[in-house]
Amino acid sequence: MSDCLFCKIIAGEIPSNKIFEDEDVYAFHDIGAQAPHHFLVIPKQHIATINEADDAALIGKLTLTASKIAKEMGFAEEGYRVVMNCNEDGGQTVYHIHLHCLGGRALTWPPG
Ligand code: 5GP
Ligand code: ZN
């Protein structure tokens, strides 16, 4: 999608601090990190919100990619959180779905 920030990041039109990429997904550090480790995993296919998603394998791959990276980065055993925000009440600000992965500190619950 031409006017989407994360599509532009995938295309390399906007720089990002990339962690991982394959044919389906792209992972990169969040520019506004809310924890010592905070990265995003996104599908290469533009999907605006999780309400529009219908590919279970692709959505599952986002989570498994996050856990794989958390293990590789060395904070999986201590623990982490994966979360996807949806629409206004969910706090979504970028309308290309993205899984947040946060770790490296004790996270509180519930989120605000
Ligand atoms: P949301 O609020 O939609 O769940 O999360 C959007 C996330 O994208 C935020 O955590 C924000 O810091 C991050 N973000 C917004 N713009 C950019 C950008 O240009 N580059 C990177 N790396 N992250 C961004
Ligand atoms: Zn997009």
Side-chain angles (χ1 to χ4, degrees):
M1 191 194 190
S2 61
D3 199 28
C4 169
L5 172 64
F6 285 175
C7 283
K8 288 178 179 170
I9 283 179
I10 292 164
E13 294 166 17
I14 291 175
S16 68
N17 194 347
K18 182 173 84 172
I19 302 168
F20 174 81
E21 175 179 18
D22 70 9
E23 66 275 20
D24 301 314
V25 303
Y26 188 97
F28 57 108
H29 292 279
D30 194 297
I31 204 168
Q34 298 297 313
H37 300 286
H38 185 179
F39 62 85
L40 304 174
V41 187
I42 65 178
K44 288 193 167 175
Q45 176 191 347
H46 179 86
I47 303 168
T49 84
I50 194 64
N51 290 336
E52 282 78 50
D54 60 6
D55 184 339
L58 179 61
I59 300 307
K61 188 168 183 177
L62 300 178
T63 305
L64 293 180
T65 300
S67 69
K68 178 171 174 283
I69 293 170
K71 289 173 194 164
E72 289 172 356
M73 287 185 166
F75 61 92
E77 284 303 313
E78 288 80 3
Y80 58 97
R81 180 172 297 156
V82 288
V83 63
M84 186 182 291
N85 299 325
C86 182
N87 279 335
E88 192 174 349
D89 279 2
Q92 185 173 7
T93 59
V94 178
Y95 282 79
H96 178 132
I97 60 168
H98 46 281
L99 196 67
H100 292 261
C101 182
L102 302 106
R105 67 172 172 83
L107 300 161
T108 58
W109 189 264

